[in-house]
Amino acid sequence: MAQPITTALDPEQQRIAGEALRGTVVDLIDLSLIAKQAHWNVIGPRFRTVHLALDELVAAAREFTDSAAERATSIGVSPDGRARTVAEQSGAEGFAAGWQRDDDVVEAITTNLAAVIRRLRQRVDVTEKADPVSQDLLIAITARLEQLHWMWQAQLS
């Protein structure tokens, strides 16, 4: 199909910003799935607290996924959130199958957040000149995920 959405970005700017946004969509979809898997399988004395915190993370990841996907679309880049793409390209660490103790869940979520944040920070750097608008979105996503990362890390202390 022909390019149905046009942009003021030149092709190289579009490529750079598009890759950053598509990668962000993939990582955030995986993060939301990881958090939901943890939500369903957490057990232990802090079950309720962790369970509810996972809902907060899922909601944030899903909202940010939509924002990144819509930004990609607005610059003429088709987002790809298919399961196969997510499985092949995500930079998240993943989550073990079956029931997981609350402390193990906190550690796994902290590790996954760190992995996603590392990749987001790289994307913030590469979009600086290519597309400051996309960079602003990536900065906002990174800031909120870093805040959540801090809150998850605090539970490990």
Side-chain angles (χ1 to χ4, degrees), residues 58-117:
V58 169
R62 287 179 177 169
E63 179 184 337
F64 293 146
T65 298
D66 196 51
S67 296
E70 289 183 356
R71 177 63 191 157
T73 301
S74 72
I75 63 167
V77 174
S78 173
D80 188 354
R82 296 172 298 161
R84 180 182 208 161
T85 303
V86 173
E88 291 172 351
Q89 297 178 11
S90 175
E93 299 290 324
F95 190 78
W99 307 116
Q100 301 295 315
R101 299 283 309 165
D102 48 11
D103 287 342
D104 295 334
V105 169
V106 171
E107 189 168 327
I109 294 301
T110 301
T111 299
N112 277 286
L113 277 165
V116 170
I117 290 165

Side-chain angles (χ1 to χ4, degrees), residues 20-35 57-58 60-69 86 90-92 113 116-117 119-120 123 137-138 141-142 145:
L21 292 164
R22 287 180 101 187
T24 298
V25 166
V26 165
D27 285 352
L28 291 172
I29 288 171
D30 201 18
L31 182 62
S32 71
L33 293 172
I34 288 165
L57 178 57
V58 169
R62 287 179 177 169
E63 179 184 337
F64 293 146
T65 298
D66 196 51
S67 296
V86 173
S90 175
L113 277 165
V116 170
I117 290 165
R119 287 170 50 113
L120 275 164
R123 293 175 184 128
L137 174 62
L138 296 173
I141 293 169
T142 303
L145 291 183

